[in-house]
Amino acid sequence: MPTMLDAVVVGAGPNGLTAAVELARRGLSVEVFEAADAIGGGARTEELTLPGFRHDPCSAVHPLGAGSPAFAAMPLDRHGLEWVHPGLPMAHPFPDGTAAVLARSVGETAHSLGPRDAGAYRRLVEPFHGRWETLAADFLRTQWDGLPSDPLLYARFGLAGGQPASLLTRRFRGEKAPALFAGLAAHGIGPLTGIGTGGMALVFALAAHAGGWPVPRGGSQAIADALASYLRACGGTVHTGFEVKRLDDLPPARAYVFDTSPTALARIADLGNAYRGYRYGPSVFKIDYALSGPVPWTAQEARRAGTVHIGPTYGEIDAALDAALQGRDPSVPFLITAQPSLADPTRAPEGKHTFWVYGHVPSGWEGDATEVIERQIERFAPGFRDLVLARATAGPPQLAARNANYVGGDFAIGSVAGLRLIIRPKLARVPYATSHPAVFLCSSATPPGPGVHGMCGHHAAKAVWRSLRTR
Ligand SMILES: Cc1cc2nc3c(=O)[nH]c(=O)nc-3n(C[C@H](O)[C@H](O)[C@H](O)COP(=O)(O)OP(=O)(O)OC[C@H]3O[C@@H](n4cnc5c(N)ncnc54)[C@H](O)[C@@H]3O)c2cc1C
């Protein structure tokens, strides 16, 4: 008879690894089983184009990782994780060569929005400025997890952040601030009229002022590697190249924790129709570039920003999101781009650069968006194409083939439209628990949702721990 483990975790993404760490460091025996040959899920780094160019196929920039209460409670720096900061967290260029910026300082950010909106920006963020730790602890939590530590701050944030981005941006009179906020809200790939999309934008802005938008030295893989190294130090084990198809594939354990999609979990653990109504959202078309030099942005601010958003107006960003949501081909996509090698020279040979870009596309879209994406980049960085040494592209089918969690290419592992960002995977007192007493879900299909922050894994581990103690 094999020994009974305390917990088995299926999937070595940031949430699976975080759940495994949190259980192992409480003294439980934990083993992780990962389908891919490498750990990391959405936090990986690979030489996708040319030798010496280290690309992040999925996550690249980590405001939520650097500000995560779960990661902050682990000695990840001693396991190789080092955050490096670009000159500016984010720039949002406009066709006239100017740019709005999200800087570490509120003042510089407000100034970049122009005299008509600088005051409105200050008034919006100042009640929360310097309160990131309280806000993150309260917001990257779940409604099930007791009262917020600062109910007044929580309520105040809820009043602003509960608004759709379409409403929150009405306080601005110019064009730059609404475009900046629409770009921040568009990280969620839901309609800008959705409840809480203003809050998503506000969280990203506050994260920039609190801890910046850093990248890990060496690539996003460093986050997963640090988690796995700490897990091993706590006595845990990780197996790769092991796709779990049925619960019986796994060693006997008191708890099974799934860093998978809810629909895969239902299939593997025989949970019947438990997640029948679960919806997946749109996808992205991703391009990783090896460049012979830095991107020649017209706006000077964009030349020192780690992240650059491309979408000159609120209306253009809204239309691009709408096309992806309504199943139309991208024509003028809103782009989220990152320039990790500006801050981290280990990503490319000397003088050369990596460049990371995606635009939104419909779920399962099989087209090639390279041309529309590069046309959009050229609007703000003329001559960009001349620098391209090599590119690696991935649309929804390629994303889904790499990671079973990305159903139809949806890397949020579930739609974030409407209340689905908050109520996921379905309305339940403990969203991490399932109808099977030993089976739990810990992926970003649970609150607080997508991003490399490990908080879904952290909350799931708590649910597992409580259940094991009572059993
Ligand atoms: C193109 C792209 C860009 C992104 N950009 C950012 C960004 O800049 N910043 C940010 O914070 N986030 C970003 N994200 C989102 C982020 O990567 C995810 O939200 C995060 O990785 C979710 O973590 P997770 O642990 O829930 O799931 P995942 O990271 O998906 O990990 C799940 C793991 O489980 C494994 N698995 C699934 N099924 C099985 C099975 N049956 N058996 C064994 N193993 C299995 C998978 O192979 C995978 O390794 C991006 C994602 C993509 C794709």
Side-chain angles (χ1 to χ4, degrees), residues 383-449:
F384 166 77
R385 277 197 178 109
D386 300 338
L387 301 176
V388 177
L389 300 172
R391 57 171 79 66
T393 62
Q398 292 77 30
L399 291 170
R402 272 193 209 149
N403 184 341
N405 285 4
Y406 301 158
V407 178
D410 170 17
F411 71 62
I413 323 183
S415 163
V416 297
L419 287 173
R420 290 199 185 91
L421 180 61
I422 303 160
I423 301 173
R424 54 199 290 129
K426 62 181 184 180
L427 192 60
R429 197 177 67 80
V430 183
Y432 312 93
T434 70
S435 55
H436 188 312
V439 172
F440 297 82
L441 183 62
C442 74
S443 71
S444 62
T446 60

Side-chain angles (χ1 to χ4, degrees), residues 11 13-15 34-35 41-42 58-61 244 259 403 405 411 443-444 451-452:
N15 283 313
E34 164 58 48
C58 303
S59 76
V61 183
V244 178
D259 189 9
N403 184 341
N405 285 4
F411 71 62
S443 71
S444 62
V452 174

Side-chain angles (χ1 to χ4, degrees), residues 13-78:
N15 283 313
L17 289 170
T18 301
V21 162
E22 300 223 350
L23 293 169
R25 73 177 176 183
R26 285 174 163 115
L28 303 188
S29 54
V30 183
E31 293 195 14
V32 180
F33 293 84
E34 164 58 48
D37 291 334
I39 61 160
R44 280 176 308 128
T45 304
E46 289 170 43
E47 279 189 352
L48 289 172
T49 54
L50 299 172
F53 288 87
R54 298 191 48 75
H55 302 278
D56 294 331
C58 303
S59 76
V61 183
H62 297 92
L64 302 180
S68 158
F71 291 172
M74 298 176 192
L76 297 180
D77 51 344
R78 279 192 265 130

Side-chain angles (χ1 to χ4, degrees), residues 62-330:
H62 297 92
L64 302 180
S68 158
F71 291 172
M74 298 176 192
L76 297 180
D77 51 344
R78 279 192 265 130
H79 291 269
L81 177 60
E82 183 193 347
W83 297 115
V84 286
H85 290 269
L88 271 174
M90 199 274 279
H92 194 128
F94 299 103
D96 63 359
T98 64
V101 300
L102 200 50
R104 295 296 293 271
S105 110
V106 172
E108 189 180 348
T109 307
H111 179 74
S112 77
L113 301 175
R116 291 165 75 198
D117 285 329
Y121 183 79
R122 277 208 178 85
R123 285 191 293 280
L124 177 62
V125 300
E126 240 146 38
F128 315 110
H129 188 42
R131 314 287 303 275
W132 173 263
E133 278 171 25
T134 313
L135 268 178
D138 283 345
F139 269 91
L140 295 176
R141 67 198 274 284
T142 68
Q143 313 318 313
W144 146 78
D145 204 21
L147 282 176
S149 57
D150 186 337
L152 255 182
L153 186 72
Y154 190 75
R156 192 161 190 182
F157 186 89
L159 279 178
Q163 296 176 27
S166 53
L167 186 61
L168 192 76
T169 50
R170 289 217 188 133
R171 68 192 61 215
F172 300 117
R173 287 183 293 161
E175 292 229 319
K176 291 183 173 175
L180 181 99
F181 270 79
L184 294 173
H187 281 246
I189 331 186
L192 296 177
T193 48
I195 289 175
T197 48
M200 191 177 314
L202 197 46
V203 163
F204 280 120
L206 294 172
H209 302 318
W213 285 26
V215 298
R217 186 176 302 281
S220 296
Q221 186 75 49
I223 303 173
D225 288 351
L227 285 166
S229 165
Y230 181 40
L231 173 63
R232 288 188 198 101
C234 297
T237 312
V238 183
H239 307 270
T240 52
F242 191 116
E243 185 190 352
V244 178
K245 296 193 172 130
R246 292 152 35 89
L247 220 45
D248 297 348
D249 296 342
L250 295 164
R254 295 166 70 212
Y256 298 90
V257 191
F258 281 79
D259 189 9
T260 65
S261 72
T263 37
L265 164 66
R267 205 169 49 240
I268 295 167
D270 223 353
L271 302 181
N273 289 332
Y275 301 105
R276 196 176 42 180
Y278 196 72
R279 300 252 179 83
Y280 292 92
S283 182
V284 300
F285 193 91
K286 171 83 194 305
I287 311 184
D288 285 291
Y289 291 98
L291 301 181
S292 61
V295 180
W297 301 108
T298 307
Q300 293 302 309
E301 295 84 344
R303 296 184 178 206
R304 58 190 182 99
T307 299
V308 180
H309 285 172
I310 303 185
T313 61
Y314 177 100
E316 204 175 284
I317 297 168
D318 192 33
L321 276 172
D322 194 55
L325 287 157
Q326 301 304 324
R328 295 192 302 274
D329 290 351

Side-chain angles (χ1 to χ4, degrees), residues 351-372:
K352 309 219 167 26
H353 287 273
T354 55
F355 185 49
W356 174 109
V357 182
Y358 71 74
H360 304 120
V361 298
S363 168
W365 191 72
E366 292 183 356
D368 182 352
T370 308
E371 175 55 31
V372 289

